[in-house]
Amino acid sequence: MSSLPAPAARADALGPVSFRAYVGLGGNLGEAHETLEAALTALQAVAGAQIEAVSSAYRSRPVDADGPDYINAVAAVRSSLGPLELLHALQTIEECHGRERPYRHAPRTLDLDLLLYDTARRHSTELTLPHPRWAERAFVLEPLAEVAQALGDVLTALPDQTERARLASLQGIEKSPRALHFK
C-alpha cells in the first residue's frame, strides 16, 4: 500500500487536459473487499487515469436482485481519457476479475460503473452519462457524497442529506468498518 502522489504530480502525469470522473465499484461474490482493492490498484495503473480519492466501503443489500450483500465504494478519478476510453478500461478490469453478465442484475465479482464524467451528458447504447440510476441508489449516493465532499467538489445534482438518509434506510446500506487500501 502506498499513498497517492501529490496532486501536482498527478496533473503533470496526465498531460494538459484532464477531467474528473466518478467511478462506482461494487461486488458481492467471493472476497469483495479484496476484489475492490485489486480493482483500485488496476485502475491506478491505467495510463491516463489517476485516482484522486476513494470513499469508505459500504455494505448494502442487493437492489432489484438476489444474492449476498454488496460491498460498494466510489473513486474520484482524474483522467485524460475520453469517457468511452475510460469505460473500456473499466470493462477490461471487470473482465480480469471474472465479471460475467449471465442476466441483468446478476450477482457479480466486480462491477465498475462510470457514474459521472465531468459535466458530460451522453446517451448511447454503450454509455449513458450521468449513469441512469445514480441518484436512486444509496450505495452510490453515500460514497459519492463522501468523496465529493473530501475533494471540495460541489455536485449540484446530488440529493440532499435528508433524501440520502431516507434512501439509505430503505435500501439497507451501512458504512463498513473495514477500509479499502490499494497500491
Side-chain angles (χ1 to χ4, degrees), residues 37 41 50-51 70 73 84 95 97 100 105 107 137 164 172 174:
E37 290 173 336
T41 298
Q50 292 291 318
I51 296 174
Y70 277 83
L84 277 177
E95 290 169 11
H97 286 89
E100 296 177 355
H105 301 301
R137 308 288 201 219
R164 292 195 321 268
E174 60 186 37

Short mmCIF file of all heavy atoms in Angstrom, two decimals, residues 37 41 50-51 70 73 84 95 97 100 105 107 137 164 172 174:
data_model
loop_
_atom_site.label_atom_id
_atom_site.label_comp_id
_atom_site.label_asym_id
_atom_site.label_seq_id
_atom_site.Cartn_x
_atom_site.Cartn_y
_atom_site.Cartn_z
N GLU A 37 -10.23 -3.70 -3.80
CA GLU A 37 -8.87 -3.19 -3.65
C GLU A 37 -8.02 -3.50 -4.88
O GLU A 37 -7.27 -2.64 -5.36
CB GLU A 37 -8.22 -3.78 -2.39
CG GLU A 37 -8.84 -3.24 -1.12
CD GLU A 37 -8.35 -3.91 0.15
OE1 GLU A 37 -7.89 -5.07 0.10
OE2 GLU A 37 -8.46 -3.26 1.20
N THR A 41 -6.26 -0.82 -7.54
CA THR A 41 -4.85 -0.91 -7.95
C THR A 41 -4.75 -0.95 -9.47
O THR A 41 -3.91 -0.27 -10.07
CB THR A 41 -4.18 -2.13 -7.30
OG1 THR A 41 -4.23 -1.98 -5.88
CG2 THR A 41 -2.75 -2.29 -7.75
N GLN A 50 -5.73 8.71 -12.92
CA GLN A 50 -5.12 8.75 -11.60
C GLN A 50 -6.23 8.89 -10.56
O GLN A 50 -7.07 9.78 -10.67
CB GLN A 50 -4.15 9.93 -11.46
CG GLN A 50 -2.91 9.80 -12.31
CD GLN A 50 -1.98 8.70 -11.81
OE1 GLN A 50 -1.77 8.55 -10.61
NE2 GLN A 50 -1.45 7.92 -12.71
N ILE A 51 -6.22 8.03 -9.57
CA ILE A 51 -7.22 8.10 -8.51
C ILE A 51 -6.90 9.29 -7.61
O ILE A 51 -5.77 9.43 -7.13
CB ILE A 51 -7.26 6.80 -7.70
CG1 ILE A 51 -7.73 5.64 -8.60
CG2 ILE A 51 -8.18 6.95 -6.48
CD1 ILE A 51 -7.68 4.28 -7.95
N TYR A 70 -23.69 -6.58 -1.01
CA TYR A 70 -22.62 -5.98 -1.80
C TYR A 70 -21.69 -5.17 -0.91
O TYR A 70 -22.10 -4.66 0.12
CB TYR A 70 -23.20 -5.01 -2.84
CG TYR A 70 -23.67 -5.66 -4.11
CD1 TYR A 70 -24.93 -6.24 -4.17
CD2 TYR A 70 -22.87 -5.71 -5.23
CE1 TYR A 70 -25.38 -6.85 -5.33
CE2 TYR A 70 -23.30 -6.33 -6.39
CZ TYR A 70 -24.55 -6.89 -6.44
OH TYR A 70 -24.98 -7.50 -7.59
N ALA A 73 -18.20 1.21 -3.16
CA ALA A 73 -17.39 2.41 -2.91
C ALA A 73 -17.46 3.27 -4.15
O ALA A 73 -17.98 2.85 -5.20
CB ALA A 73 -15.95 2.04 -2.58
N LEU A 84 -15.55 7.09 -23.29
CA LEU A 84 -15.60 5.71 -23.79
C LEU A 84 -14.30 4.97 -23.53
O LEU A 84 -14.32 3.78 -23.21
CB LEU A 84 -15.94 5.68 -25.28
CG LEU A 84 -17.42 5.77 -25.62
CD1 LEU A 84 -17.64 5.81 -27.12
CD2 LEU A 84 -18.21 4.62 -25.01
N GLU A 95 -13.43 -7.69 -16.50
CA GLU A 95 -13.18 -8.99 -17.13
C GLU A 95 -12.01 -9.71 -16.49
O GLU A 95 -12.05 -10.93 -16.30
CB GLU A 95 -12.94 -8.81 -18.63
CG GLU A 95 -14.19 -8.40 -19.39
CD GLU A 95 -13.90 -7.97 -20.82
OE1 GLU A 95 -12.76 -8.19 -21.31
OE2 GLU A 95 -14.81 -7.40 -21.44
N HIS A 97 -11.25 -9.70 -13.53
CA HIS A 97 -11.68 -10.19 -12.22
C HIS A 97 -12.88 -11.14 -12.33
O HIS A 97 -13.62 -11.32 -11.37
CB HIS A 97 -12.00 -9.01 -11.29
CG HIS A 97 -10.76 -8.33 -10.82
ND1 HIS A 97 -10.17 -7.31 -11.51
CD2 HIS A 97 -9.96 -8.59 -9.76
CE1 HIS A 97 -9.07 -6.94 -10.88
NE2 HIS A 97 -8.92 -7.70 -9.83
N GLU A 100 -18.92 -11.74 -15.16
CA GLU A 100 -19.79 -12.38 -16.15
C GLU A 100 -21.11 -11.64 -16.13
O GLU A 100 -21.50 -11.07 -15.12
CB GLU A 100 -19.99 -13.85 -15.82
CG GLU A 100 -18.70 -14.65 -15.89
CD GLU A 100 -18.90 -16.11 -15.49
OE1 GLU A 100 -20.01 -16.48 -15.08
OE2 GLU A 100 -17.92 -16.85 -15.58
N HIS A 105 -28.74 -7.69 -13.51
CA HIS A 105 -28.66 -7.66 -12.04
C HIS A 105 -28.17 -8.97 -11.43
O HIS A 105 -28.47 -9.27 -10.27
CB HIS A 105 -30.01 -7.27 -11.41
CG HIS A 105 -30.51 -5.93 -11.85
ND1 HIS A 105 -29.82 -4.77 -11.65
CD2 HIS A 105 -31.66 -5.58 -12.48
CE1 HIS A 105 -30.51 -3.75 -12.15
NE2 HIS A 105 -31.62 -4.22 -12.66
N PRO A 107 -25.65 -11.51 -9.57
CA PRO A 107 -24.54 -11.31 -8.63
C PRO A 107 -23.23 -11.23 -9.41
O PRO A 107 -23.11 -11.80 -10.50
CB PRO A 107 -24.59 -12.57 -7.75
CG PRO A 107 -26.01 -13.04 -7.86
CD PRO A 107 -26.42 -12.70 -9.26
N ARG A 137 -29.81 5.32 -5.96
CA ARG A 137 -29.14 4.23 -5.27
C ARG A 137 -28.31 4.74 -4.10
O ARG A 137 -27.31 5.42 -4.29
CB ARG A 137 -28.22 3.46 -6.22
CG ARG A 137 -28.88 3.00 -7.51
CD ARG A 137 -29.82 1.86 -7.25
NE ARG A 137 -30.06 1.12 -8.48
CZ ARG A 137 -31.24 0.63 -8.81
NH1 ARG A 137 -32.26 0.83 -8.03
NH2 ARG A 137 -31.38 -0.05 -9.92
N ARG A 164 -30.86 11.39 1.02
CA ARG A 164 -29.87 10.31 1.03
C ARG A 164 -30.08 9.40 2.24
O ARG A 164 -29.99 8.18 2.12
CB ARG A 164 -28.45 10.88 0.99
CG ARG A 164 -28.11 11.56 -0.33
CD ARG A 164 -26.63 11.80 -0.53
NE ARG A 164 -25.88 12.22 0.62
CZ ARG A 164 -25.65 13.48 0.97
NH1 ARG A 164 -26.12 14.48 0.23
NH2 ARG A 164 -24.94 13.75 2.04
N GLY A 172 -31.09 -0.28 2.99
CA GLY A 172 -30.22 -1.07 3.85
C GLY A 172 -28.75 -0.94 3.56
O GLY A 172 -28.09 -1.91 3.20
N GLU A 174 -24.94 0.46 5.00
CA GLU A 174 -24.19 0.89 6.18
C GLU A 174 -22.71 0.94 5.84
O GLU A 174 -22.22 0.19 4.99
CB GLU A 174 -24.42 -0.05 7.36
CG GLU A 174 -24.02 -1.47 7.10
CD GLU A 174 -24.40 -2.42 8.22
OE1 GLU A 174 -25.47 -2.25 8.82
OE2 GLU A 174 -23.62 -3.34 8.49
#
